[in-house]
């Protein structure tokens, strides 16, 4: 077929959301490739409404293998990946159209874009990270990783404001899928690289297997690997300790993350929460204030949660200052929180609290 940009997707039982994903992006791509990994619903029929490029891939517990298969069927100069439950908003459709112009003018090998994966009640992004979204097809490195697959960015790399919004599939429950894949592969003797050691530990933690998660995450923190993953592993390891009522171990782990880079806002907020529980208010105030002033590290590859640089420390500082007898500072933090997220449940509660005392 040829053209500038192929969209490549792997799907299974996604008839409820596939049209939503394709409707948002079809006008901006030249080719759509769908690799079906064993659907038993109407997914393939839904895909056929948009493209003749629907292919069967026999599932083998390997997301990277499925992604590589989908890329192998593309014919355009560049390939872009999405999941069936992803959404391209109209605003981002316009950004993708502009990005097409950059592809033709700048000839990059990799385009890094934001992936928004969690949202508050008002639809604002609360969790995002930067991913390799578009790659030059010729010479593209293979996807790697049976779960949480990725392509290592290479060549000329550019960053774009185009972002993809991760949605939800109604009634879909992931459960232990990722953990089961990891455990089956580990049982076969597969050696996990540092990045996947972190993800395996996170899956264990998410499934409340804290003792096992602790061992894996310690290896992720202390072994070889990217600093960003070591910091993320430290955060999850601290949560693992807290789930086991091991507060001192959690605090030491969070402090230890400073070895790998500048303090992240989420780490600082977790430290503030520990000191707040200990009634060490001035120490809690110190760490929450540091979180409020922390930098955005999303371009470094962090899992960015802007609420840890904004509404969370503001709400906590409102409480800490009040409990420490600093009423004016408490009110000042609340008023700033009102500007940031006026409908946040804690902000609504604090609004009533200050009004009852005649301070608003």
């Amino acid at each position: 077929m040829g053209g500038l940009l192929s969209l490549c997707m792997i799907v299974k039982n996604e008839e409820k959301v596939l049209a939503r994903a394709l409707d948002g992006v079809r006008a901006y791509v030249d080719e759509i490739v769908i690799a079906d990994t064993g659907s038993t619903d109407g997914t393939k029929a839904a895909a056929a409404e948009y493209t003749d490029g629907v292919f069967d891939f026999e599932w083998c517990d390997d997301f990277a293998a499925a992604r590589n298969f989908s890329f192998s069927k593309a014919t355009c100069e560049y390939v872009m990946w999405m999941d069936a439950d992803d959404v391209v908003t109209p605003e981002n459709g316009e950004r993708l159209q502009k990005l097409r112009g950059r592809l033709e003018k700048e000839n990059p090998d990799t385009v890094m874009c934001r992936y928004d994966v969690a949202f508050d009640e008002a639809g604002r992004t609360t969790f995002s990270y930067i991913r390799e979204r578009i790659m030059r097809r010729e010479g593209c490195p293979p996807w790697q990783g049976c779960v949480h697959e990725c392509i290592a960015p290479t060549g000329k790399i550019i960053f774009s404001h185009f972002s993809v919004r991760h949605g939800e599939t109604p009634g879909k429950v992931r459960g232990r899928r990722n953990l089961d894949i990891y455990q089956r592969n580990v049982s076969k003797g597969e050696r996990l690289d540092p990045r996947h050691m972190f993800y395996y530990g996170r899956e264990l933690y998410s499934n409340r297997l804290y003792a096992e998660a602790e061992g894996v995450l310690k290896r992720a923190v202390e072994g070889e690997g990217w600093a960003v993953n070591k910091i993320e592993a430290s955060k999850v390891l601290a949560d693992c300790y807290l789930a086991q009522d091991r507060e001192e171990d959690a605090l030491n782990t969070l402090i230890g993350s400073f070895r790998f880079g500048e303090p992240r806002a989420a780490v600082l907020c977790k430290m503030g929460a520990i000191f707040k529980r200990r009634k060490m208010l001035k120490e809690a105030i110190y760490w929450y204030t540091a979180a409020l002033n922390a930098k955005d590290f999303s371009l470094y590859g962090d899992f960015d949660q802007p609420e840890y640089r904004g509404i969370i420390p503001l709400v906590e500082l409102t409480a800490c200052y009040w409990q420490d007898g600093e009423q004016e500072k408490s009110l000042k933090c609340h008023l700033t929180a009102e500007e940031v997220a006026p409908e946040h449940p804690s902000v609504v509660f604090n609004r009533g609290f200050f009004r009852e005392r005649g301070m608003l």
Side-chain angles (χ1 to χ4, degrees):
M1 178 177 177
L4 180 65
L5 183 60
S6 298
L7 170 66
C8 299
M9 304 175 68
I10 59 174
V11 301
K12 181 179 180 180
N13 294 337
E14 302 285 7
E15 66 174 345
K16 295 180 180 178
V17 294
L18 184 58
R20 180 184 67 184
L22 295 176
D23 283 341
V25 74
R26 66 189 304 185
Y28 311 104
V29 299
D30 304 294
E31 177 182 53
I32 296 174
V33 174
I34 305 290
D36 187 272
T37 64
S39 294
T40 56
D41 64 357
T43 295
K44 291 174 68 175
E49 295 291 322
Y50 293 85
T51 178
D52 294 329
V54 182
F55 304 91
D56 290 314
F57 176 81
E58 185 175 352
W59 181 242
C60 57
D61 277 354
D62 191 329
F63 280 92
R67 296 276 187 207
N68 287 326
F69 174 80
S70 71
F71 273 26
S72 75
K73 299 300 182 181
T75 65
C76 292
E77 184 177 357
Y78 286 93
V79 285
M80 179 176 98
W81 68 275
M82 279 177 54
D83 289 332
D85 49 3
D86 288 338
V87 176
V88 173
T89 64
E91 177 185 17
N92 279 294
E94 294 175 4
R95 290 172 176 167
L96 181 55
Q97 181 62 34
K98 293 178 181 178
L99 178 55
R100 288 176 59 94
R102 291 187 67 188
L103 295 178
E104 294 179 311
K105 181 179 180 180
E106 300 179 38
N107 298 307
D109 296 294
T110 306
V111 183
M112 307 294 290
C113 304
R114 200 180 72 221
Y115 197 14
D116 298 329
V117 297
F119 314 92
D120 63 16
E121 297 84 353
R124 292 180 294 248
T125 301
T126 59
F127 190 9
S128 66
Y129 49 95
I130 301 296
R131 284 295 309 265
E132 68 289 6
R133 179 63 64 181
I134 298 174
M135 282 70 66
R136 184 186 299 278
R137 182 174 60 85
E138 184 176 349
C140 179
W143 287 90
Q144 297 181 337
C146 58
V147 181
H148 298 295
E149 68 280 9
C150 71
I151 291 178
T154 58
K156 181 179 179 180
I157 301 170
I158 66 171
F159 290 80
S160 170
H161 292 297
F162 168 63
S163 65
V164 173
R165 187 180 180 92
H166 186 64
E168 294 183 356
T169 302
K172 185 176 182 179
V173 179
R174 189 187 72 179
R176 286 179 53 103
R177 181 198 66 188
N178 290 351
L179 178 58
D180 288 343
I181 293 173
Y182 272 130
Q183 290 184 323
R184 281 194 290 270
N185 287 334
V186 169
S187 70
K188 296 175 185 176
E190 180 176 317
R191 181 179 175 84
L192 298 180
D193 64 25
R195 177 176 179 270
H196 286 282
M197 189 69 69
F198 157 63
Y199 278 112
Y200 180 33
R202 193 176 71 171
E203 292 292 341
L204 288 164
Y205 167 76
S206 297
N207 284 274
R208 302 183 180 182
L209 299 171
Y210 301 128
E212 295 176 60
E214 178 185 336
V216 172
L217 290 166
K218 279 182 176 179
R219 290 160 63 190
V221 170
E222 300 301 336
E224 298 295 327
W226 296 341
V228 166
N229 285 341
K230 288 174 175 284
I231 294 170
E232 291 297 327
S234 297
K235 287 158 55 177
V236 181
L237 179 56
D239 288 338
C240 189
Y241 285 135
L242 291 172
Q244 300 175 82
D245 296 321
R246 294 164 59 185
E247 193 174 79
E248 195 66 24
D249 287 331
L251 183 59
N252 288 334
T253 298
L254 293 168
I255 294 172
S257 72
F258 298 168
R259 293 175 290 164
F260 310 122
E262 293 182 59
R264 270 46 173 183
V267 170
L268 298 169
C269 281
K270 290 177 187 292
M271 293 175 66
I274 290 174
F275 284 105
K276 183 183 176 187
R277 282 195 297 272
R278 293 179 175 182
K279 306 298 182 184
M280 299 173 68
L281 296 174
K282 286 182 169 48
E283 289 77 8
I285 288 169
Y286 175 87
W287 293 113
Y288 282 128
T289 301
L292 197 60
N293 295 309
K295 294 195 314 191
D296 176 0
F297 287 93
S298 59
L299 291 181
Y300 293 74
D302 282 35
F303 295 129
D304 186 48
Q305 294 171 274
E307 59 187 2
Y308 283 108
R309 300 191 306 274
I311 191 60
I312 289 177
L314 285 170
V315 166
E316 295 296 344
L317 284 168
T318 299
C320 288
Y321 275 127
W322 186 271
Q323 293 173 33
D324 202 38
E326 301 261 17
Q327 296 184 359
E328 291 302 319
K329 289 183 178 180
S330 175
L331 177 60
K332 183 177 179 180
C333 288
H334 168 70
L335 293 175
T336 304
E338 287 271 16
E339 297 175 1
V340 172
E343 300 307 316
H344 189 281
S346 295
V347 175
V348 173
F349 175 85
N350 289 338
R351 184 185 305 141
F353 177 87
F354 284 111
R355 281 177 176 170
E356 288 177 1
R357 286 154 181 78
M359 299 178 68
L360 284 179

